[in-house]
Amino acid sequence: MRFGLLYEHQLPRPWTGESEHRLFKDALAQVELADQLGIDHIWEVEHHFLEEYAHSSAPEVFLAACAGAHQEHPYRPWRGAGATGLQSSARVADALPRLI
């Protein structure tokens, strides 16, 4: 059986100047721990225009940071969902092969 993590980066109000930074630092710390525990893959969804529900408008950036933090075991990053109607097809075509 293989296990993975799924991130949507929920951030309820009230926010401070450091809230979003702390959210991503905590997520990367979780990825480092997951690496040590042998987690196989990381999923990241893409959402736009959702203030509290998901702070993940560029999943490839978070997944690239995860790849840098993930040292012990090889894993595959995955985009859980993409809002292709909000961005050019060239951007999506450029980003996806780098994650596979």
Side-chain angles (χ1 to χ4, degrees):
M1 183 175 292
R2 301 179 76 180
F3 292 93
L5 298 175
L6 171 66
Y7 284 96
E8 293 190 81
H9 304 296
Q10 297 175 355
L11 187 60
R13 293 181 190 229
W15 301 327
T16 67
E18 294 292 317
S19 296
E20 200 162 34
H21 183 254
R22 168 65 30 215
L23 175 73
F24 283 96
K25 282 190 73 157
D26 289 347
L28 289 173
Q30 292 171 7
V31 169
E32 288 182 38
L33 177 60
D35 179 39
Q36 295 168 10
L37 297 174
I39 295 296
D40 297 301
H41 50 271
I42 305 295
W43 287 81
E44 167 76 1
V45 300
E46 178 177 352
H47 288 293
H48 296 268
F49 314 116
L50 300 171
E51 292 183 355
E52 295 181 45
Y53 177 64
H55 287 238
S56 51
S57 60
E60 61 275 3
V61 175
F62 176 73
L63 292 173
C66 290
H70 206 282
Q71 302 295 323
E72 296 293 322
H73 304 93
Y75 81 104
R76 296 190 69 170
W78 296 91
R79 282 175 74 138
T84 56
L86 296 174
Q87 51 194 287
S88 74
S89 56
R91 180 179 180 268
V92 175
D94 179 55
L96 289 180
R98 288 179 278 158
L99 298 177
I100 296 174

